[in-house]
Structures are given as C-alpha cells and as structure tokens.
Amino acid sequence: MFRLLKYLKAYKFALLMVVVLTAVRVLATLALPDYMADIINKGIIGNDQHLIWLNGGIMTFVTLLSGVATVGAGYFAAKTATGFATDLRYKVFTKVENFSKLELDKFSTASLITRTTNDIQQIQQVMVLMLTLVLMAPMMGIGAIIKGLHLAPSMSWIIILAVVTIIVVISCFFAAAVPKFKIMQKMVDKLNLVTRENLTGLRVIRAFNREKYQEDKFDQTNRQLTSVTLYVNRLMSGLQPSMFFIFNAISILIIWVGAHYVQSGSLQIGSMIAFMQYALLILTSFMMISFIFILVPRAAVSGQRIQEVLQTKSQINDPAKPVLLQAGQSMAVEFKDVSFSYAGAQEKVLHNISFKAEPGQLTAIVGSTGSGKSTLVNLVPRFYDATDGQVLVGGVDVRRLRQADLRENVGYVAQKSVLFSGTVASNIAYGRPSADPTEIKQAAKVAQADHFINNLDGKYQAAISQDGGNVSGGQRQRLAIARALLKKPAVYLFDDSF
C-alpha cells in the first residue's frame, strides 16, 4: 500500500496544510489542561476572580482556534484523499486499457472491477482517517507524555502501564483480523463474478429454467462473504469497549494514587486533574490509532491488489524501433508457419498455419466450432502474439509494428458484437469520429442496417444502451459491421459476424 503513496506528490500543499493545522489543533488541546490547573490551584482555591476570567477567556479562544484548525485539517485531508483516489482510479483504468488479452484473462473482469472501485474506496477511507486522526495521534501522545511527566513525574509509571496495555490489546486484535480481511476481498471478487455472470447470461438461465440453481449459487457466495464480514465486525466490536475499559481503569488509578499525593501535600489538586487530562489524551491518541487498525488491514490488502495491477507488464508491447505503415494502402496478410498455444495450455490451438491473403481478395477460414478460427483472427491485430512463426501485414511482421499503427489499418468485427452507450451514429463512427453523416449512412446501407435504423425513434440519433441491450443481436452485428466499413481500413477481419 505504501508504494502507492508516490501518487501524492500532486497534493503537497494540501498535505502541508493538514500538518500545520493539525499541529495548531494539538498545541491548543495540550494548552487547555495547564490553564484549567491554574484556575483550580490559584483561582478557585485562592478566590482570584480575575485569574478565573482571564484563563477562562484564553481557554475559550484556544478552543475556538482548535475548532477552526480541525475543520481546516478535515477539508484538506478530504481533498487530498479524494484527489489521490481519483488519480489512482485513472492510473488503474489506463493500465487495464493497455493490457493484452493475456493479462485480462489473468485477472478476470470481475476482479478488475472490484480493484478499480471497492479496493480504491477502502484506501480512500483509510487515508482520510490517517490524515485526520493518525497524523494527530503521535503529536498529541508525545506532547501529552512530556507534559504529564513534567507535571507529576512520580505517577509516570501509570502512563507506561496504560501504553503497554493498549499496545498488547491492539496487537492481539490486529493479528486476528488481517487474514480475514484478505479472505473478505477475495469473496467480494467472487460475489461480483457470480452477479455479473448471472446478469450477462440471464436469457440462457431462463431458457433452461435454472433460476433456482443461480439463486442458490449466489446465496452460497453471499453467505460466505456475510460470515467472514460478521466475524471481522464481531472481533473489531470488542476493540472499542476494551479501550474504554482501560480508559476508565486508568482514570480511577490516577485518582486513587493522586489522592495520596494530594493528602501528603506533594501534589496540588489542579495538577492531579491536569495530569489525568494528559493521561486521557495519551489514551485517546492510542484509541485513534486503534480505530485506524480496524480499516488498515483491509486497506493494506486492497493496496496490494491495486499494486498487482499497476506492476503487471503487458506481454504484448511496441518494438523499440517500429516500422511505419502507410495508412490506407492495400496490404496482404500472410501467415508463415504459425503455431499458437494459450498460457498454461498443454497443447497448441494452431499448428504450422501458412497462407497468404492478397489485397482485393476474399479469404475465408472454414472450420468446426472450437477449431481455432477466432484465435487465428486475433493474431492479426496482436490481441495475442504467435507462439511460433510469423504473422505479416503489408509484408512486415506485426511484432515490428506499433500496435496503434497496426490497428489503424485493421477493421475488426468481433464474434460477439459489442456496442457502447450513446447513439446509433456515435457507434458507427466509433472507429472514425470525424466521419460526416453521409458517410455514416452509406456504411449503414452497405451493412444493411439502414432499414431498421430508419424505423427507430430518432433514427441515427436513437439512443443505444450499454452493450446494445435495446437492440437485437442481429442489429448489433449490422451496426458492428457498419462501424468497421466506415473506418475504411486496409484489412477487414470478420470473425463469424455474418
């Protein structure tokens, strides 16, 4: 998680303001017990009304100053944490955008969605608390220890006892919680996977009357996540009562021991009460840290998962010295003794494939389902790289071309047609946004999509929902074909889209 903090460089000013305002708040808080002790020792006991009003006024001002500093520190902390999360989400998104299908298959869609949303949200929450509480806690704890020891050194052993007890209690809770937080994030992944699978395959589920099976599958995953979450929450729910028990026990101990010193005349009543206030500030500092420990383990797991994405290097990269292609020119596609196997597979999907598709010619790859037709097509735009042999476009090995240049010259229609939320026109013009309405209509006409488009409300400006859910499968295919035709590339790749 700490490796991700390098992205905080853009928020140096906000972080500085958090530190400054937190320091002001701490100094104001530490000053209050001294003024209170002075009032008790000299004002009330000595009946000095002027001292009471003076110190009371100063305490009121210091309290107001502390309140303003608290609000300011909270504002800059929220700004920093929110901006950090925004940048981190963008980094993860752009990293995933550059993944090849190999990396996408490794993480799975459901896991990447969880890492981009839930995991980053966990880190954002912890960062806000760290900047508002954890940053203040050490300052206040150290300051209170110094002030307390100076005020009543004879009772310093009470502070040591309290600190050791709290550290032991927090360590026990922390050791028990960390493994469960790791399991919890994996269960969130699994729940997203089951939910997404159910929503995507809803028509198939209904067609085979398997709703009950899917409900049981979801319920099992949901109950597993609930069980782990309940365990962690029950465990952590015992932390706060434990802290308050120590808190109150130390207060009683200070009063008990301090009363003997007051009776013997070696300690004033105001000083004893001030010492108790400093002791409670020390305990409060550790309580703040204990609250963070409730979320830190889960955020640490989330940070590790995000770091895995950011550190993953795509296996398909641009060459150091790429060969340039002339966009728009006719190009031959040639396979020279090409073989391919998926990662971890024992056998190759393609074996020694060799052929050449000349410009202006139609080349059809015919084979049974599962024979590797889609795999072969995916090698041309470098969604995968051939295990052996060469794939040539325009006489150049695709591995010697920049991916952007290569794909600029390829019009691709996938086996499963994919549309994006927007309009009919924006989907057709997706590959060439500068296309004018006449070109869009011509591409739709060639793809035989103009007939159903003209029957839609709004025609070419008709809304298309996510993944084209408001049009039929055949209509999606026609729009996808029109999209490839409008691009006017050198090479057309139709993966069973007819």
Side-chain angles (χ1 to χ4, degrees):
M1 176 181 172
F2 293 104
R3 294 178 184 177
L4 300 174
L5 297 181
K6 61 184 178 181
Y7 299 114
L8 280 172
K9 291 180 181 178
Y11 303 94
K12 290 179 180 178
F13 175 76
L15 284 170
L16 178 62
M17 291 302 299
V18 171
V19 174
V20 172
L21 291 170
T22 301
V24 171
R25 179 185 177 186
V26 170
L27 291 174
T29 304
L30 292 174
L32 290 174
D34 278 344
Y35 289 111
M36 182 184 67
D38 204 30
I39 290 174
I40 294 172
N41 291 335
K42 299 176 182 178
I44 296 176
I45 296 176
N47 198 24
D48 188 344
Q49 293 296 317
H50 174 72
L51 180 65
I52 293 173
W53 281 104
L54 177 63
N55 283 5
I58 295 173
M59 290 175 70
T60 303
F61 171 76
V62 170
T63 302
L64 291 174
L65 181 63
S66 176
V68 172
T70 302
V71 173
Y75 168 78
F76 284 107
K79 185 175 181 179
T80 302
T82 305
F84 171 76
T86 302
D87 292 347
L88 196 57
R89 257 191 300 271
Y90 179 76
K91 292 285 184 183
V92 173
F93 182 83
T94 52
K95 184 70 176 182
V96 173
E97 279 282 282
N98 293 313
F99 277 170
S100 68
K101 286 182 68 66
L102 292 169
E103 288 78 43
L104 292 174
D105 294 341
K106 171 187 173 183
F107 284 105
S108 85
T109 304
S111 180
L112 288 172
I113 290 173
T114 304
R115 293 170 198 246
T116 311
T117 53
N118 183 274
D119 284 326
I120 293 178
Q121 184 68 26
Q122 296 294 332
I123 293 175
Q124 180 180 338
Q125 289 177 355
V126 170
M127 181 163 288
V128 171
L129 292 176
M130 286 182 72
L131 292 175
T132 53
L133 297 180
V134 174
L135 183 63
M136 182 180 69
M139 296 183 187
M140 185 179 292
I142 293 170
I145 289 173
I146 294 171
K147 298 281 282 185
L149 293 177
H150 176 74
L151 195 64
S154 58
M155 292 198 294
S156 59
W157 63 272
I158 297 176
I159 294 177
I160 296 172
L161 176 64
V163 170
V164 171
T165 304
I166 289 174
I167 291 174
V168 170
V169 171
I170 291 175
S171 299
C172 292
F173 279 99
F174 185 77
V178 171
K180 295 297 180 181
F181 278 122
K182 292 181 179 179
I183 296 172
M184 187 185 297
Q185 287 306 105
K186 290 181 180 179
M187 292 309 302
V188 172
D189 272 355
K190 189 174 180 181
L191 188 67
N192 279 340
L193 177 64
V194 173
T195 304
R196 189 172 182 275
E197 184 180 65
N198 186 69
L199 294 174
T200 305
L202 196 58
R203 284 184 295 180
V204 177
I205 293 167
R206 288 174 177 172
F208 286 89
N209 198 26
R210 297 290 285 171
E211 290 91 343
K212 186 65 173 63
Y213 171 77
Q214 290 297 128
E215 288 172 8
D216 291 341
K217 186 177 179 180
F218 177 85
D219 185 58
Q220 181 183 0
T221 306
N222 193 29
R223 286 182 182 278
Q224 288 174 347
L225 176 59
T226 303
S227 177
V228 176
T229 306
L230 284 175
Y231 173 85
V232 171
N233 288 338
R234 285 167 183 163
L235 181 67
M236 288 303 178
S237 65
L239 184 58
Q240 189 172 351
S242 301
M243 292 296 105
F244 279 114
F245 176 78
I246 297 171
F247 194 94
N248 293 320
I250 292 299
S251 299
I252 294 170
L253 185 61
I254 290 172
I255 294 172
W256 178 269
V257 176
H260 291 286
Y261 288 114
V262 171
Q263 188 177 14
S264 64
S266 59
L267 187 68
Q268 293 180 309
I269 295 176
S271 298
M272 183 195 73
I273 294 175
F275 179 83
M276 184 168 66
Q277 291 294 319
Y278 285 126
L280 295 184
L281 285 176
I282 295 169
L283 296 178
T284 301
S285 300
F286 278 92
M287 283 184 65
M288 291 178 185
I289 296 174
S290 72
F291 292 147
I292 296 298
F293 277 120
I294 296 175
L295 295 175
V296 161
R298 190 173 183 182
V301 173
S302 296
Q304 183 180 358
R305 286 157 54 85
I306 293 168
Q307 191 68 18
E308 285 176 3
V309 176
L310 295 176
Q311 287 185 333
T312 298
K313 295 182 179 179
S314 178
Q315 295 186 35
I316 296 179
N317 299 295
D318 290 335
K321 295 181 179 180
V323 177
L324 297 179
L325 279 177
Q326 276 305 111
Q329 71 178 18
S330 297
M331 299 179 187
V333 175
E334 185 176 2
F335 278 58
K336 285 186 176 181
D337 203 24
V338 171
S339 298
F340 176 79
S341 62
Y342 288 99
Q346 294 181 351
E347 296 184 2
K348 293 180 180 179
V349 179
L350 304 176
H351 299 269
N352 305 322
I353 304 295
S354 296
F355 68 89
K356 186 173 184 179
E358 296 288 353
Q361 292 184 357
L362 179 66
T363 303
I365 308 298
V366 181
S368 60
T369 301
S371 60
K373 301 187 299 296
S374 296
T375 302
L376 186 144
V377 169
N378 286 332
L379 296 179
V380 179
R382 286 195 76 194
F383 294 151
Y384 296 104
D385 271 343
T387 307
D388 301 302
Q390 288 182 307
V391 179
L392 303 151
V393 173
V396 182
D397 191 323
V398 293
R399 285 170 290 201
R400 297 180 60 199
L401 301 171
R402 288 179 64 247
Q403 295 175 68
D405 292 341
L406 171 63
R407 291 164 188 169
E408 189 66 31
N409 287 277
V410 173
Y412 176 69
V413 183
Q415 191 173 31
K416 180 185 176 183
S417 302
V418 177
L419 298 182
F420 301 93
S421 56
T423 63
V424 171
S426 68
N427 270 279
I428 295 176
Y430 190 79
R432 190 156 65 92
S434 60
D436 58 50
T438 304
E439 291 176 304
I440 293 172
K441 291 178 182 179
Q442 179 60 28
K445 185 176 181 180
V446 175
Q448 299 181 13
D450 59 328
H451 177 70
F452 84 84
I453 292 174
N454 290 324
N455 289 329
L456 296 174
D457 292 336
K459 298 184 179 179
Y460 284 86
Q461 296 305 316
I464 297 293
S465 63
Q466 180 186 358
D467 202 27
N470 59 337
V471 293
S472 71
Q475 290 169 343
R476 282 200 300 272
Q477 282 184 326
R478 291 180 187 277
L479 290 175
I481 292 169
R483 179 171 60 198
L485 295 175
L486 181 64
K487 190 177 177 182
K488 297 180 180 179
V491 178
Y492 289 96
L493 296 175
F494 297 98
D495 185 7
D496 200 12
S497 56
F498 299 109

